[in-house]
Amino acid sequence: MRSGQKTNKYKGVVFLRSFHRENIGQSLRDIFKQKDLLFLLVSCSSIYAVPLAVLYFVWQYLRQIHLKDFHNPKGQLVYPYFFLGVNALISSIYSLNLVSIGVTVGIVIPFLIYAIYVENRLEPELCVSMLRLLVYLSLPAALVSYFQKLFIPLQEDRVISTFANANLYAYFLMAVLLVTLGLYMDKPPKRERRWYLVISAANLFALYLTQSRAVLLALAVSVLFLLLLRRRFQQALFLFVLCAIFLIAVIIYPQLLRFIPRYEILDANMNRRAEIWGIAWDAIRTNPLIGRGILSYKYYAIQYNLIKTHAHNTLLNTWVEWGLAGVGLLLWASIIIFRRGLWG
């Protein structure tokens, strides 16, 4: 098979196709597109790699300003992200904690710049290419998790792959599985669909090995919602009936609950979570409006002889660190993203 035919065979993957071009007149803009895509993929590969992408995009942002190629950032997310950065800085200064101030200036604000920059640079074609490659790159991550399960002693016997903990890897897998389903419903070529099925099976098994109960439930609800959005009503009804049958079966045969990951410690975990959330509420009451600064839950929980870096609840943790103002700003950004996903 000729190289030109091979290239056309994979023309749906824009990033790979661009590397096979032998066009001397390729524009600098295309080169920067490839770099942007590369660093976005690096940031998705592991939580430890995220700072590399953030530094790259912040450098790009500052470089554009220096070269006077800077245009005021556009997009609906600019204002909520800008005010979120201001709020984060105020709350960290209020905390009088040098670690909180350093993390805000060195990580949070660069991340917000990164988000604004990406929103302005990431075009639909690049986005689809990135998502396809992200799906394919999730397969090696799943293989890493299998290796961990077989050969490496793990905390609570939960795989983490290239991530900091099992829950983070589970959230990543949930996102990848939803993206894979969306790409599959777009009716790609048969060979590509087969790969999506193989990768989804591998990632579903890896998700089970993370033993993350909340993510398994969230995935089922999210898939149902995605099917409804894509007007796949028959498949949505089938999934709903399947879940209903499982719930009825659990009521009739409670022993089926043993198949739920870590079911035997569910009561103990819920009691522990209730204690963690109670401490978070106590911390919120000390400064409900602007919060106590990032990472403040960790330092506040020490007073209760509890070593936890976060409150195990996004809403409560955000309220502790950035106050009601931070919660409102994140809600504002979430509504914009949600509306964009529904209506474009």
Side-chain angles (χ1 to χ4, degrees):
M1 186 181 290
R2 296 179 181 177
S3 60
Q5 293 174 331
K6 289 183 179 180
T7 303
N8 290 331
K9 191 173 184 179
Y10 294 97
K11 64 180 180 180
V13 185
V14 178
F15 181 62
L16 293 178
R17 182 182 61 184
S18 64
F19 273 100
H20 287 284
R21 288 176 181 167
E22 297 181 357
N23 185 357
I24 300 176
Q26 186 179 31
S27 67
L28 288 175
R29 185 168 179 268
D30 287 336
I31 295 174
F32 274 109
K33 275 187 179 181
Q34 292 175 4
K35 288 183 179 179
D36 287 357
L37 183 55
L38 176 63
F39 276 90
L40 280 169
L41 286 167
V42 166
S43 69
C44 294
S45 64
S46 170
I47 189 173
Y48 303 110
V50 170
L52 298 176
V54 174
L55 289 173
Y56 167 76
F57 281 103
V58 171
W59 172 78
Q60 285 275 61
Y61 200 73
L62 296 176
R63 182 176 175 276
Q64 285 186 358
I65 295 175
H66 176 70
L67 296 176
K68 297 182 179 180
D69 188 27
F70 172 76
H71 303 282
N72 290 330
K74 301 177 182 179
Q76 296 174 316
L77 290 171
V78 171
Y79 291 108
Y81 285 162
F82 172 77
F83 289 117
L84 185 62
V86 172
N87 181 78
L89 188 59
I90 293 173
S91 62
S92 65
I93 293 173
Y94 170 83
S95 71
L96 297 178
N97 186 307
L98 293 179
V99 174
S100 180
I101 295 172
V103 169
T104 300
V105 174
I107 298 179
V108 174
I109 291 177
F111 260 86
L112 293 173
I113 295 174
Y114 163 63
I116 293 171
Y117 181 85
V118 168
E119 186 191 14
N120 282 265
R121 288 293 300 271
L122 191 61
E123 299 173 358
E125 186 182 53
L126 269 176
C127 185
V128 173
S129 299
M130 183 189 74
L131 292 176
R132 284 195 176 110
L133 279 173
L134 180 61
V135 169
Y136 287 119
L137 291 175
S138 69
L139 183 58
L143 297 178
V144 170
S145 71
Y146 300 161
F147 179 83
Q148 292 173 342
K149 182 69 175 179
L150 291 172
F151 302 109
I152 299 177
L154 299 167
Q155 185 177 6
E156 298 181 345
D157 201 32
R158 303 174 66 189
V159 300
I160 63 174
S161 188
T162 59
F163 290 77
N165 59 57
N167 287 333
L168 284 175
Y169 181 44
Y171 292 136
F172 168 80
L173 287 172
M174 180 179 71
V176 170
L177 285 165
L178 291 171
V179 168
T180 309
L181 177 59
L183 292 172
Y184 187 89
M185 288 192 292
D186 287 335
K187 297 182 179 180
K190 183 179 291 186
R191 181 171 180 176
E192 192 172 338
R193 278 182 289 170
R194 289 173 180 170
W195 271 110
Y196 288 156
L197 290 174
V198 170
I199 293 169
S200 294
N203 284 334
L204 277 171
F205 186 58
L207 179 59
Y208 185 78
L209 294 179
T210 66
Q211 301 185 45
S212 179
R213 298 180 297 260
V215 172
L216 287 172
L217 177 61
L219 178 62
V221 175
S222 299
V223 169
L224 180 62
F225 188 68
L226 178 59
L227 290 173
L228 291 173
L229 284 178
R230 301 295 291 268
R231 299 184 180 276
R232 303 295 183 97
F233 299 119
Q234 290 184 345
Q235 292 93 328
L237 179 61
F238 175 77
L239 178 61
F240 179 79
V241 171
L242 196 64
C243 292
I245 291 173
F246 176 76
L247 290 176
I248 294 171
V250 166
I251 294 173
I252 299 174
Y253 302 102
Q255 56 268 35
L256 291 174
L257 290 171
R258 289 179 297 179
F259 292 99
I260 297 176
R262 299 182 298 143
Y263 169 73
E264 66 281 359
I265 60 172
L266 181 59
D267 289 339
N269 280 357
M270 290 306 299
N271 292 333
R272 189 64 166 171
R273 291 290 174 89
E275 179 187 0
I276 293 171
W277 296 337
I279 294 173
W281 183 244
D282 288 341
I284 287 169
R285 287 187 292 181
T286 63
N287 192 357
L289 184 59
I290 64 170
R292 300 173 55 88
I294 195 167
L295 300 180
S296 58
Y297 181 85
K298 173 183 178 181
Y299 299 105
Y300 191 85
I302 291 175
Q303 303 176 37
Y304 296 82
N305 296 319
L306 180 67
I307 308 299
K308 290 289 180 181
T309 57
H310 55 84
H312 283 279
N313 182 288
T314 302
L315 175 62
L316 289 177
N317 200 76
T318 304
W319 201 344
V320 169
E321 296 184 344
W322 292 339
L324 194 59
V327 172
L329 289 166
L330 282 179
L331 182 61
W332 181 12
S334 300
I335 291 173
I336 292 172
I337 295 170
F338 187 75
R339 289 181 58 189
R340 183 181 296 169
L342 286 178
W343 297 293

mmCIF file of all heavy atoms in Angstrom, residues 247-267:
data_model
loop_
_atom_site.group_PDB
_atom_site.id
_atom_site.type_symbol
_atom_site.label_atom_id
_atom_site.label_comp_id
_atom_site.label_asym_id
_atom_site.label_seq_id
_atom_site.Cartn_x
_atom_site.Cartn_y
_atom_site.Cartn_z
ATOM 1 N N LEU A 247 -31.383 -2.688 40.118
ATOM 2 C CA LEU A 247 -31.849 -2.218 41.427
ATOM 3 C C LEU A 247 -32.879 -3.165 42.019
ATOM 4 O O LEU A 247 -32.849 -3.468 43.224
ATOM 5 C CB LEU A 247 -32.437 -0.814 41.287
ATOM 6 C CG LEU A 247 -31.444 0.312 40.986
ATOM 7 C CD1 LEU A 247 -32.181 1.632 40.768
ATOM 8 C CD2 LEU A 247 -30.429 0.460 42.113
ATOM 9 N N ILE A 248 -33.794 -3.653 41.185
ATOM 10 C CA ILE A 248 -34.802 -4.608 41.668
ATOM 11 C C ILE A 248 -34.131 -5.896 42.117
ATOM 12 O O ILE A 248 -34.474 -6.470 43.166
ATOM 13 C CB ILE A 248 -35.847 -4.880 40.569
ATOM 14 C CG1 ILE A 248 -36.660 -3.609 40.274
ATOM 15 C CG2 ILE A 248 -36.786 -6.023 40.978
ATOM 16 C CD1 ILE A 248 -37.563 -3.722 39.076
ATOM 17 N N ALA A 249 -33.144 -6.341 41.338
ATOM 18 C CA ALA A 249 -32.431 -7.573 41.699
ATOM 19 C C ALA A 249 -31.690 -7.415 43.021
ATOM 20 O O ALA A 249 -31.644 -8.353 43.838
ATOM 21 C CB ALA A 249 -31.452 -7.940 40.580
ATOM 22 N N VAL A 250 -31.129 -6.233 43.257
ATOM 23 C CA VAL A 250 -30.415 -5.981 44.515
ATOM 24 C C VAL A 250 -31.380 -6.013 45.691
ATOM 25 O O VAL A 250 -31.062 -6.532 46.775
ATOM 26 C CB VAL A 250 -29.684 -4.627 44.449
ATOM 27 C CG1 VAL A 250 -29.237 -4.183 45.838
ATOM 28 C CG2 VAL A 250 -28.490 -4.728 43.521
ATOM 29 N N ILE A 251 -32.592 -5.474 45.489
ATOM 30 C CA ILE A 251 -33.595 -5.496 46.554
ATOM 31 C C ILE A 251 -34.008 -6.931 46.881
ATOM 32 O O ILE A 251 -34.159 -7.312 48.056
ATOM 33 C CB ILE A 251 -34.824 -4.657 46.150
ATOM 34 C CG1 ILE A 251 -34.428 -3.181 46.039
ATOM 35 C CG2 ILE A 251 -35.961 -4.822 47.172
ATOM 36 C CD1 ILE A 251 -35.516 -2.297 45.479
ATOM 37 N N ILE A 252 -34.160 -7.744 45.839
ATOM 38 C CA ILE A 252 -34.580 -9.138 46.043
ATOM 39 C C ILE A 252 -33.427 -9.997 46.552
ATOM 40 O O ILE A 252 -33.596 -10.833 47.446
ATOM 41 C CB ILE A 252 -35.139 -9.720 44.721
ATOM 42 C CG1 ILE A 252 -36.365 -8.918 44.272
ATOM 43 C CG2 ILE A 252 -35.505 -11.194 44.902
ATOM 44 C CD1 ILE A 252 -36.896 -9.334 42.909
ATOM 45 N N TYR A 253 -32.242 -9.760 46.002
ATOM 46 C CA TYR A 253 -31.056 -10.537 46.389
ATOM 47 C C TYR A 253 -29.962 -9.591 46.876
ATOM 48 O O TYR A 253 -29.065 -9.195 46.111
ATOM 49 C CB TYR A 253 -30.540 -11.362 45.206
ATOM 50 C CG TYR A 253 -31.545 -12.310 44.618
ATOM 51 C CD1 TYR A 253 -32.200 -11.994 43.429
ATOM 52 C CD2 TYR A 253 -31.848 -13.517 45.247
ATOM 53 C CE1 TYR A 253 -33.132 -12.863 42.875
ATOM 54 C CE2 TYR A 253 -32.775 -14.392 44.704
ATOM 55 C CZ TYR A 253 -33.418 -14.056 43.518
ATOM 56 O OH TYR A 253 -34.343 -14.920 42.982
ATOM 57 N N PRO A 254 -30.004 -9.182 48.145
ATOM 58 C CA PRO A 254 -29.020 -8.219 48.670
ATOM 59 C C PRO A 254 -27.568 -8.687 48.542
ATOM 60 O O PRO A 254 -26.656 -7.865 48.545
ATOM 61 C CB PRO A 254 -29.424 -8.089 50.144
ATOM 62 C CG PRO A 254 -30.854 -8.528 50.191
ATOM 63 C CD PRO A 254 -30.991 -9.565 49.141
ATOM 64 N N GLN A 255 -27.378 -9.996 48.413
ATOM 65 C CA GLN A 255 -26.007 -10.503 48.291
ATOM 66 C C GLN A 255 -25.314 -10.011 47.021
ATOM 67 O O GLN A 255 -24.085 -10.064 46.897
ATOM 68 C CB GLN A 255 -25.972 -12.029 48.346
ATOM 69 C CG GLN A 255 -26.842 -12.728 47.327
ATOM 70 C CD GLN A 255 -28.226 -13.038 47.851
ATOM 71 O OE1 GLN A 255 -28.775 -12.266 48.627
ATOM 72 N NE2 GLN A 255 -28.782 -14.186 47.441
ATOM 73 N N LEU A 256 -26.110 -9.498 46.060
ATOM 74 C CA LEU A 256 -25.515 -8.935 44.841
ATOM 75 C C LEU A 256 -24.695 -7.684 45.129
ATOM 76 O O LEU A 256 -23.856 -7.292 44.320
ATOM 77 C CB LEU A 256 -26.613 -8.598 43.822
ATOM 78 C CG LEU A 256 -27.350 -9.785 43.183
ATOM 79 C CD1 LEU A 256 -28.488 -9.292 42.310
ATOM 80 C CD2 LEU A 256 -26.373 -10.624 42.349
ATOM 81 N N LEU A 257 -24.947 -7.073 46.274
ATOM 82 C CA LEU A 257 -24.191 -5.873 46.642
ATOM 83 C C LEU A 257 -22.708 -6.168 46.806
ATOM 84 O O LEU A 257 -21.885 -5.247 46.770
ATOM 85 C CB LEU A 257 -24.741 -5.280 47.940
ATOM 86 C CG LEU A 257 -26.135 -4.632 47.845
ATOM 87 C CD1 LEU A 257 -26.649 -4.278 49.234
ATOM 88 C CD2 LEU A 257 -26.066 -3.378 46.977
ATOM 89 N N ARG A 258 -22.372 -7.431 46.961
ATOM 90 C CA ARG A 258 -20.956 -7.788 47.114
ATOM 91 C C ARG A 258 -20.151 -7.492 45.855
ATOM 92 O O ARG A 258 -18.930 -7.411 45.902
ATOM 93 C CB ARG A 258 -20.834 -9.279 47.465
ATOM 94 C CG ARG A 258 -21.310 -9.628 48.876
ATOM 95 C CD ARG A 258 -21.184 -11.093 49.154
ATOM 96 N NE ARG A 258 -22.041 -11.890 48.269
ATOM 97 C CZ ARG A 258 -22.102 -13.225 48.294
ATOM 98 N NH1 ARG A 258 -21.348 -13.909 49.146
ATOM 99 N NH2 ARG A 258 -22.908 -13.875 47.460
ATOM 100 N N PHE A 259 -20.852 -7.357 44.723
ATOM 101 C CA PHE A 259 -20.153 -7.040 43.482
ATOM 102 C C PHE A 259 -19.847 -5.548 43.354
ATOM 103 O O PHE A 259 -19.116 -5.139 42.452
ATOM 104 C CB PHE A 259 -20.992 -7.494 42.279
ATOM 105 C CG PHE A 259 -21.107 -8.984 42.165
ATOM 106 C CD1 PHE A 259 -22.243 -9.637 42.625
ATOM 107 C CD2 PHE A 259 -20.075 -9.736 41.627
ATOM 108 C CE1 PHE A 259 -22.359 -11.023 42.524
ATOM 109 C CE2 PHE A 259 -20.178 -11.122 41.524
ATOM 110 C CZ PHE A 259 -21.323 -11.764 41.986
ATOM 111 N N ILE A 260 -20.402 -4.733 44.250
ATOM 112 C CA ILE A 260 -20.079 -3.311 44.259
ATOM 113 C C ILE A 260 -18.704 -3.132 44.892
ATOM 114 O O ILE A 260 -18.445 -3.676 45.975
ATOM 115 C CB ILE A 260 -21.131 -2.506 45.047
ATOM 116 C CG1 ILE A 260 -22.494 -2.629 44.365
ATOM 117 C CG2 ILE A 260 -20.724 -1.035 45.169
ATOM 118 C CD1 ILE A 260 -23.616 -1.939 45.115
ATOM 119 N N PRO A 261 -17.794 -2.403 44.256
ATOM 120 C CA PRO A 261 -16.434 -2.255 44.805
ATOM 121 C C PRO A 261 -16.436 -1.737 46.243
ATOM 122 O O PRO A 261 -17.133 -0.780 46.561
ATOM 123 C CB PRO A 261 -15.778 -1.247 43.847
ATOM 124 C CG PRO A 261 -16.537 -1.387 42.576
ATOM 125 C CD PRO A 261 -17.945 -1.700 42.970
ATOM 126 N N ARG A 262 -15.678 -2.408 47.087
ATOM 127 C CA ARG A 262 -15.478 -1.996 48.494
ATOM 128 C C ARG A 262 -16.792 -1.850 49.247
ATOM 129 O O ARG A 262 -16.931 -1.006 50.121
ATOM 130 C CB ARG A 262 -14.679 -0.688 48.552
ATOM 131 C CG ARG A 262 -13.289 -0.797 47.938
ATOM 132 C CD ARG A 262 -12.520 0.501 48.055
ATOM 133 N NE ARG A 262 -13.178 1.580 47.331
ATOM 134 C CZ ARG A 262 -13.219 2.830 47.745
ATOM 135 N NH1 ARG A 262 -12.662 3.172 48.886
ATOM 136 N NH2 ARG A 262 -13.818 3.764 47.023
ATOM 137 N N TYR A 263 -17.748 -2.698 48.913
ATOM 138 C CA TYR A 263 -19.050 -2.614 49.588
ATOM 139 C C TYR A 263 -18.925 -2.874 51.084
ATOM 140 O O TYR A 263 -19.630 -2.271 51.890
ATOM 141 C CB TYR A 263 -20.016 -3.630 48.960
ATOM 142 C CG TYR A 263 -21.285 -3.804 49.759
ATOM 143 C CD1 TYR A 263 -22.256 -2.806 49.772
ATOM 144 C CD2 TYR A 263 -21.501 -4.956 50.530
ATOM 145 C CE1 TYR A 263 -23.414 -2.948 50.511
ATOM 146 C CE2 TYR A 263 -22.650 -5.111 51.269
ATOM 147 C CZ TYR A 263 -23.611 -4.108 51.260
ATOM 148 O OH TYR A 263 -24.749 -4.255 51.996
ATOM 149 N N GLU A 264 -18.000 -3.768 51.453
ATOM 150 C CA GLU A 264 -17.875 -4.161 52.865
ATOM 151 C C GLU A 264 -17.450 -3.008 53.771
ATOM 152 O O GLU A 264 -17.668 -3.052 54.981
ATOM 153 C CB GLU A 264 -16.890 -5.327 53.006
ATOM 154 C CG GLU A 264 -15.435 -4.999 52.651
ATOM 155 C CD GLU A 264 -15.166 -4.988 51.157
ATOM 156 O OE1 GLU A 264 -16.107 -5.262 50.393
ATOM 157 O OE2 GLU A 264 -14.019 -4.699 50.768
ATOM 158 N N ILE A 265 -16.861 -1.954 53.191
ATOM 159 C CA ILE A 265 -16.439 -0.826 54.017
ATOM 160 C C ILE A 265 -17.261 0.429 53.697
ATOM 161 O O ILE A 265 -16.869 1.537 54.063
ATOM 162 C CB ILE A 265 -14.937 -0.523 53.827
ATOM 163 C CG1 ILE A 265 -14.624 -0.174 52.350
ATOM 164 C CG2 ILE A 265 -14.088 -1.689 54.295
ATOM 165 C CD1 ILE A 265 -13.200 0.318 52.143
ATOM 166 N N LEU A 266 -18.403 0.235 53.021
ATOM 167 C CA LEU A 266 -19.209 1.384 52.606
ATOM 168 C C LEU A 266 -19.711 2.184 53.808
ATOM 169 O O LEU A 266 -19.628 3.423 53.818
ATOM 170 C CB LEU A 266 -20.391 0.905 51.766
ATOM 171 C CG LEU A 266 -21.327 2.000 51.233
ATOM 172 C CD1 LEU A 266 -20.551 2.989 50.364
ATOM 173 C CD2 LEU A 266 -22.471 1.382 50.440
ATOM 174 N N ASP A 267 -20.216 1.508 54.837
ATOM 175 C CA ASP A 267 -20.742 2.216 56.017
ATOM 176 C C ASP A 267 -19.636 3.002 56.710
ATOM 177 O O ASP A 267 -19.831 4.161 57.105
ATOM 178 C CB ASP A 267 -21.373 1.223 56.994
ATOM 179 C CG ASP A 267 -22.687 0.651 56.464
ATOM 180 O OD1 ASP A 267 -23.288 1.300 55.576
ATOM 181 O OD2 ASP A 267 -23.089 -0.437 56.921
#
